[in-house]
Amino acid sequence: MGKKHKYAVLVSGRGSNLKAILEAAQRGEIPSLPALVVTDNPSAPALAYAVKHGVETCFINPETYRGRKKFGEALIEELGKREIDIVCLAGFMKIIHESVISKFAGRIINIHPSLLPAFRGLGAQKQALEAGVDESGCTVHFVDVGMDTGPIIRQSRVRVEKNDTVESLSARILEQEHKLYPRVIAELLEGRVRLEGGGILFEEVKNNDCSKQGGDMASACLVGVRCRWDGRTRTDPDLFEKFSNGFITPFCPE
Ligand code: GRF
């Protein structure tokens, strides 16, 4: 058994992902509750979920710690006090200073409501509708210094319907977020996924052995998304159909 990780969830608003994480932990699907919930917004509805589950909360006041650097230093201090080693952003609206990102390299993740690398930044669901795509979804990725650019861990796909509005599409994507994020957090806490040499390693697909993949995992290039290694896109529609729950592992067996 490896070291037991302590994780924090960072929130700014509604907190539906935090709620999903707390409930998954309570059901035993994640090994532990978060050790800390951090916010930059003292009136975030998310905080009520933390309190309900007896999880410590911490407000870092952006007025006191003006600028990303100072805010980042305060964040590192608060995380350090509780020996937090994994950080999960869940609707945290502040851009995180690079000092935090380098301190937690490979241990800081985010969830974004699009199939990255498509539609980075704010209003991802609106961007998807405006682009007229016929599918979108959500992505859990490691955080790097760019905006939603870090290595992709897992994605979940959602069909875009003709009559979709931002609200209806967001709601369907959110449903997937609530399943995907707890799943990835559990994998990270249990050491079943990690960042290595800039790529993602899943315990199940070590040594390029794809036969050990779960039924819902596939090489990125086989399911028709751009391969991060060679930039090529290959599509196999039959294979694509099999991944009805939409999980894609961006792992390249080549
Ligand atoms: C989610 O859509 C998440 O993907 C994005 O911010 C939103 C947060 O929602 N990063 P909630 O606060 O978890 O309900």
Side-chain angles (χ1 to χ4, degrees):
M1 225 2 221
K3 171 183 176 293
K4 203 164 176 291
H5 293 292
K6 284 176 86 180
Y7 69 107
V9 182
L10 274 53
V11 296
S12 296
R14 182 178 55 185
S16 68
N17 277 288
L18 173 64
K19 180 171 181 276
I21 293 164
L22 294 164
E23 290 174 358
Q26 206 158 48
R27 290 193 300 270
E29 293 164 14
I30 297 180
S32 58
L33 283 166
L36 182 67
V37 168
V38 178
T39 191
D40 61 336
N41 171 17
S43 47
L47 295 175
Y49 297 123
V51 172
K52 182 176 167 206
H53 286 80
V55 173
E56 184 186 1
T57 61
C58 165
F59 165 51
I60 301 179
N61 192 338
E63 295 299 316
T64 312
Y65 301 97
R66 280 180 187 271
R68 276 184 215 163
K69 189 160 184 288
K70 284 223 151 55
F71 192 91
E73 285 164 3
L75 179 57
I76 288 176
E77 192 181 331
E78 293 298 342
L79 297 172
K81 274 189 217 161
R82 282 92 171 176
E83 301 180 322
I84 301 291
D85 62 352
I86 289 180
V87 177
C88 309
L89 311 183
F92 190 64
M93 298 309 287
K94 270 193 119 41
I95 296 177
I96 306 263
H97 189 259
E98 59 194 49
S99 57
V100 182
I101 291 163
S102 56
K103 187 159 181 64
F104 288 90
R107 296 181 291 123
I108 177 166
I109 60 173
N110 180 43
I111 186 155
H112 182 77
S114 78
L115 294 178
L116 290 173
F119 315 128
R120 296 181 172 130
L122 288 176
Q125 303 92 333
K126 184 161 182 272
Q127 292 182 51
L129 285 178
E130 284 171 358
V133 291
D134 55 18
E135 65 172 18
S136 189
C138 53
T139 302
V140 178
H141 64 95
F142 285 108
V143 176
D144 66 7
V145 288
M147 166 80 89
D148 304 319
T149 52
I152 292 168
I153 306 174
R154 285 191 185 277
Q155 299 183 304
S156 218
R157 294 152 14 101
V158 160
R159 179 160 296 284
V160 178
E161 305 294 347
K162 275 201 191 64
N163 55 356
D164 257 330
T165 60
V166 172
E167 290 69 31
S168 64
L169 179 59
S170 303
R172 281 207 316 289
I173 293 176
L174 203 58
E175 235 176 81
Q176 295 305 315
E177 293 185 34
H178 296 163
K179 294 180 193 156
L180 191 67
Y181 212 11
R183 175 183 179 180
V184 174
I185 292 173
E187 288 178 314
L188 199 60
L189 291 174
E190 289 164 358
R192 287 186 283 123
V193 60
R194 61 182 187 275
L195 187 62
E196 221 172 82
I200 310 288
L201 265 192
F202 286 89
E203 201 59 35
E204 293 92 333
V205 291
K206 253 200 250 165
N207 306 322
N208 291 354
D209 183 357
C210 292
S211 63
K212 289 197 185 133
Q213 292 178 172
D216 51 5
M217 293 167 70
S219 148
C221 39
L222 288 180
V223 294
V225 297
R226 189 175 288 277
C227 172
R228 64 172 62 248
W229 273 267
D230 65 7
R232 278 182 289 164
T233 302
R234 270 161 285 179
T235 308
D236 176 345
D238 290 339
L239 193 57
F240 212 69
E241 270 308 293
K242 290 184 195 143
F243 295 89
S244 50
N245 65 1
F247 290 117
I248 296 169
T249 301
F251 172 82
C252 181
E254 295 175 18

